[in-house]
Amino acid sequence: MALWGLRQLGETATLLVSELVGNAVRHARIDGSRIELRLEAAGTWLRIEVSDCDPRPPQPRAPSGLDESGFGFVLVEALADKWGVRETAAGKAVWIELNTEQADDPGDELSATPACGAASEKG
């Protein structure tokens, strides 16, 4: 984040990446499924996207007071400026956008290995 001039978003971005990747690991139940994490700083937005090979969309739920899990999308709703899900050729991608208006120098896209052996999808 610091290289992109987005140090002020570091903790929030780290928490949201952890939540999205954790959800993909727990809920994408396709054998041999690979997960792709993409971060992209463009204009006034930081986009965080996690893709997996499971086409089923996430099922946000409202946890009750004593639940030990289920708070992920509560965090996403509270911290992300925008979020959504899109279909990919290999499954789905869950994305979050954070406003970077206070950032000095956004950079270019960083990408991991494409999920499921498919080419990376720009979106």
Side-chain angles (χ1 to χ4, degrees):
M1 292 295 133
L3 292 174
W4 289 348
L6 302 175
R7 182 167 288 153
Q8 75 281 5
L9 294 177
E11 289 181 18
T12 300
T14 299
L15 177 61
L16 292 171
V17 164
S18 174
E19 189 58 42
L20 292 184
V21 170
N23 282 344
V25 168
R26 277 190 298 281
H27 301 295
R29 301 177 207 262
I30 305 295
D31 288 337
S33 183
R34 290 177 48 192
I35 297 169
E36 176 184 2
L37 168 64
R38 287 182 42 194
L39 304 174
E40 181 181 0
T44 60
W45 294 98
L46 170 65
R47 185 178 181 104
I48 300 167
E49 184 173 275
V50 175
S51 302
D52 62 54
C53 297
D54 188 342
R56 297 174 299 166
Q59 300 296 315
R61 64 183 181 94
S64 64
L66 298 176
D67 285 350
E68 293 181 9
S69 65
F71 292 92
F73 280 100
V74 173
L75 286 172
V76 169
E77 284 285 338
L79 299 175
D81 295 295
K82 300 178 188 177
W83 75 274
V85 181
R86 66 182 180 86
E87 291 181 24
T88 65
K92 71 173 172 308
V94 179
W95 57 268
I96 291 172
E97 290 184 351
L98 300 173
N99 191 323
T100 64
E101 287 184 319
Q102 300 170 354
D104 338 327
D105 187 25
D108 293 327
E109 179 179 313
L110 293 179
S111 183
T113 304
C116 310
S120 274
E121 195 172 312
K122 303 284 182 194

